[in-house]
Amino acid sequence: MKTETDNPARAHVALTLPAIVSSLPAFAQALEEICRHAELDRETVSDLLVVLDEACSNVFRHAYAGHEPGALSVTLMHRPSPPPGEIEITLVDQGVAFNPLLLPAPELSIDAEDRPIGGLGVHLMRRLTDRQTYRYQPDTGNRLTLVKHIPPSQAG
């Protein structure tokens, strides 16, 4: 795994691996490396790991459904400026076009056993990040970008 630091204050890691569950530890390790670079506290790192896990799990389960798993590219970046900075997680796959951000928010006032299955992972991604964007292009596939602003108390 290579961390690019063309700007010493910024870190960037990009990995492309098969879109299968066994790839998740490598993606998580790369995110932890970026978070160490950004000097984030454990709670923020844990939140970002949940976001990464949920986003990757959606690709693993749905992007290549019924076909051989393709690739999943994950790019992780720490941008320290403008202060207080941000962590950006971008996932790219060539699976079926699907915008998870169009899913309605789950009805959390209903008991879990009465609630339809699905949607909680996307809900968590929305709640634990500050900005989410999705784009599909036939030549590049699905691109989901999730951005977490670094809490001011952690800004260097």
Side-chain angles (χ1 to χ4, degrees), residues 116-156:
I117 294 173
L120 284 177
V122 173
H123 173 72
L124 285 171
M125 289 188 296
R126 286 182 182 131
R127 298 280 297 172
L128 296 175
T129 59
D130 299 296
R131 187 172 70 245
Q132 311 84 29
T133 59
Y134 170 83
R135 184 176 72 225
Y136 175 80
Q137 293 180 303
D139 57 332
T140 58
N142 297 289
R143 175 181 294 270
L144 177 64
T145 301
L146 305 158
V147 175
K148 173 76 175 168
H149 299 300
I150 296 172
S153 62
Q154 295 181 53

Side-chain angles (χ1 to χ4, degrees), residues 61-79:
R61 278 192 219 107
H62 305 295
Y64 300 103
H67 303 285
E68 285 295 313
L72 172 58
S73 296
V74 175
T75 303
L76 306 156
M77 186 172 298
H78 167 227
R79 284 193 195 91

Side-chain angles (χ1 to χ4, degrees), residues 6 19 22 26-27 29 37-38 40 69-72 81 90 110 129 142-143:
D6 54 337
S22 60
F27 292 135
Q29 181 183 359
H37 182 273
L40 300 182
L72 172 58
S81 63
T90 300
I110 299 173
T129 59
N142 297 289
R143 175 181 294 270

Side-chain angles (χ1 to χ4, degrees), residues 96-114:
V96 175
F98 177 70
N99 183 349
L101 302 178
L102 294 179
L103 288 175
E107 183 52 62
L108 299 177
S109 62
I110 299 173
D111 289 336
E113 58 270 1
D114 297 328

